[in-house]
Short mmCIF file of all heavy atoms in Angstrom, two decimals:
data_model
loop_
_atom_site.label_atom_id
_atom_site.label_comp_id
_atom_site.label_asym_id
_atom_site.label_seq_id
_atom_site.Cartn_x
_atom_site.Cartn_y
_atom_site.Cartn_z
N LEU A 95 4.16 9.09 1.57
CA LEU A 95 5.17 8.15 2.08
C LEU A 95 4.65 7.47 3.34
O LEU A 95 4.24 8.14 4.28
CB LEU A 95 6.45 8.90 2.43
CG LEU A 95 7.48 9.15 1.33
CD1 LEU A 95 8.59 10.05 1.86
CD2 LEU A 95 8.07 7.84 0.82
N PRO A 96 4.64 6.14 3.38
CA PRO A 96 4.19 5.46 4.61
C PRO A 96 5.02 5.90 5.81
O PRO A 96 6.24 5.93 5.74
CB PRO A 96 4.42 3.98 4.29
CG PRO A 96 4.39 3.89 2.80
CD PRO A 96 4.99 5.18 2.32
N CYS A 97 4.33 6.28 6.89
CA CYS A 97 5.02 6.74 8.10
C CYS A 97 5.69 5.57 8.80
O CYS A 97 5.02 4.64 9.23
CB CYS A 97 4.02 7.42 9.03
SG CYS A 97 4.69 7.84 10.64
N PRO A 98 7.02 5.61 8.94
CA PRO A 98 7.71 4.47 9.56
C PRO A 98 7.36 4.31 11.04
O PRO A 98 7.36 3.21 11.57
CB PRO A 98 9.20 4.82 9.39
CG PRO A 98 9.24 6.29 9.18
CD PRO A 98 7.93 6.69 8.54
N PHE A 99 7.02 5.42 11.68
CA PHE A 99 6.69 5.37 13.10
C PHE A 99 5.30 4.77 13.31
O PHE A 99 5.07 3.98 14.22
CB PHE A 99 6.76 6.77 13.72
CG PHE A 99 8.07 7.45 13.45
CD1 PHE A 99 8.18 8.41 12.46
CD2 PHE A 99 9.20 7.08 14.15
CE1 PHE A 99 9.40 9.00 12.19
CE2 PHE A 99 10.43 7.66 13.89
CZ PHE A 99 10.52 8.63 12.89
N PHE A 100 4.38 5.14 12.44
CA PHE A 100 3.02 4.60 12.54
C PHE A 100 3.03 3.10 12.31
O PHE A 100 2.33 2.34 12.98
CB PHE A 100 2.12 5.29 11.50
CG PHE A 100 0.70 4.81 11.52
CD1 PHE A 100 -0.15 5.18 12.55
CD2 PHE A 100 0.22 3.99 10.51
CE1 PHE A 100 -1.47 4.75 12.56
CE2 PHE A 100 -1.11 3.56 10.53
CZ PHE A 100 -1.94 3.93 11.56
N LEU A 101 3.85 2.65 11.34
CA LEU A 101 3.91 1.22 11.04
C LEU A 101 4.42 0.44 12.25
O LEU A 101 4.08 -0.72 12.44
CB LEU A 101 4.80 0.97 9.81
CG LEU A 101 4.27 1.58 8.49
CD1 LEU A 101 5.23 1.28 7.35
CD2 LEU A 101 2.87 1.06 8.16
N GLU A 104 4.10 3.63 16.83
CA GLU A 104 4.57 4.62 17.79
C GLU A 104 4.67 6.03 17.23
O GLU A 104 5.52 6.81 17.65
CB GLU A 104 5.93 4.18 18.37
CG GLU A 104 6.98 3.92 17.31
CD GLU A 104 8.18 3.15 17.87
OE1 GLU A 104 7.99 2.45 18.88
OE2 GLU A 104 9.27 3.29 17.31
N CYS A 105 3.80 6.39 16.28
CA CYS A 105 3.81 7.78 15.80
C CYS A 105 3.03 8.62 16.78
O CYS A 105 1.94 8.28 17.19
CB CYS A 105 3.19 7.89 14.41
SG CYS A 105 3.29 9.57 13.77
N LYS A 106 3.63 9.76 17.19
CA LYS A 106 2.98 10.61 18.18
C LYS A 106 2.03 11.60 17.54
O LYS A 106 1.33 12.34 18.23
CB LYS A 106 4.03 11.34 19.04
CG LYS A 106 4.99 12.19 18.23
CD LYS A 106 6.03 12.84 19.12
CE LYS A 106 7.01 13.64 18.24
NZ LYS A 106 8.08 14.27 18.99
N PHE A 107 1.99 11.63 16.20
CA PHE A 107 1.09 12.56 15.53
C PHE A 107 -0.19 11.87 15.09
O PHE A 107 -0.20 10.65 14.86
CB PHE A 107 1.79 13.17 14.31
CG PHE A 107 2.99 13.99 14.66
CD1 PHE A 107 4.27 13.49 14.45
CD2 PHE A 107 2.85 15.26 15.22
CE1 PHE A 107 5.38 14.23 14.79
CE2 PHE A 107 3.96 16.00 15.55
CZ PHE A 107 5.22 15.50 15.35
N SER A 108 -1.25 12.64 14.95
CA SER A 108 -2.50 12.10 14.44
C SER A 108 -2.38 11.90 12.93
O SER A 108 -1.44 12.39 12.31
CB SER A 108 -3.65 13.05 14.75
OG SER A 108 -3.52 14.21 13.96
N ASP A 109 -3.37 11.22 12.36
CA ASP A 109 -3.37 10.98 10.90
C ASP A 109 -3.21 12.30 10.14
O ASP A 109 -2.50 12.37 9.14
CB ASP A 109 -4.68 10.33 10.46
CG ASP A 109 -4.82 8.91 10.99
OD1 ASP A 109 -3.94 8.47 11.77
OD2 ASP A 109 -5.81 8.25 10.64
N GLN A 111 -2.03 15.28 11.34
CA GLN A 111 -0.87 16.11 11.67
C GLN A 111 0.43 15.55 11.12
O GLN A 111 1.38 16.30 10.87
CB GLN A 111 -0.74 16.24 13.20
CG GLN A 111 -1.77 17.17 13.82
CD GLN A 111 -1.72 17.10 15.33
OE1 GLN A 111 -1.45 16.04 15.90
NE2 GLN A 111 -1.97 18.23 15.98
N CYS A 112 0.50 14.24 10.95
CA CYS A 112 1.77 13.62 10.56
C CYS A 112 2.16 14.07 9.14
O CYS A 112 1.30 14.18 8.26
CB CYS A 112 1.66 12.11 10.62
SG CYS A 112 3.23 11.28 10.29
N ARG A 113 3.47 14.33 8.93
CA ARG A 113 3.92 14.74 7.59
C ARG A 113 3.92 13.55 6.64
O ARG A 113 3.96 13.73 5.42
CB ARG A 113 5.30 15.38 7.69
CG ARG A 113 6.37 14.45 8.27
CD ARG A 113 7.66 15.19 8.60
NE ARG A 113 8.56 15.21 7.47
CZ ARG A 113 8.90 16.32 6.82
NH1 ARG A 113 8.40 17.46 7.18
NH2 ARG A 113 9.75 16.27 5.83
N TYR A 114 3.89 12.34 7.18
CA TYR A 114 3.86 11.14 6.35
C TYR A 114 2.47 10.51 6.39
O TYR A 114 1.60 10.96 7.13
CB TYR A 114 4.92 10.15 6.80
CG TYR A 114 6.31 10.67 6.70
CD1 TYR A 114 7.14 10.73 7.81
CD2 TYR A 114 6.81 11.14 5.48
CE1 TYR A 114 8.44 11.22 7.72
CE2 TYR A 114 8.10 11.64 5.38
CZ TYR A 114 8.91 11.68 6.50
OH TYR A 114 10.18 12.18 6.40
N SER A 115 2.28 9.44 5.63
CA SER A 115 0.95 8.84 5.51
C SER A 115 0.73 7.71 6.50
O SER A 115 1.59 6.83 6.65
CB SER A 115 0.78 8.30 4.08
OG SER A 115 -0.43 7.58 3.99
N HIS A 116 -0.40 7.76 7.19
CA HIS A 116 -0.82 6.64 8.04
C HIS A 116 -1.75 5.72 7.26
O HIS A 116 -2.41 4.87 7.82
CB HIS A 116 -1.52 7.16 9.30
CG HIS A 116 -0.58 7.84 10.25
ND1 HIS A 116 -0.97 8.36 11.44
CD2 HIS A 116 0.76 8.07 10.14
CE1 HIS A 116 0.08 8.90 12.05
NE2 HIS A 116 1.14 8.74 11.28
ZN1 LIG B 301 3.13 9.32 11.49
#
Side-chain angles (χ1 to χ4, degrees):
L95 274 173
C97 172
F99 307 102
F100 180 73
L101 296 179
E104 55 195 24
C105 184
K106 58 182 177 182
F107 297 104
S108 70
D109 292 4
Q111 286 172 326
C112 185
R113 60 191 271 114
Y114 298 123
S115 173
H116 290 181

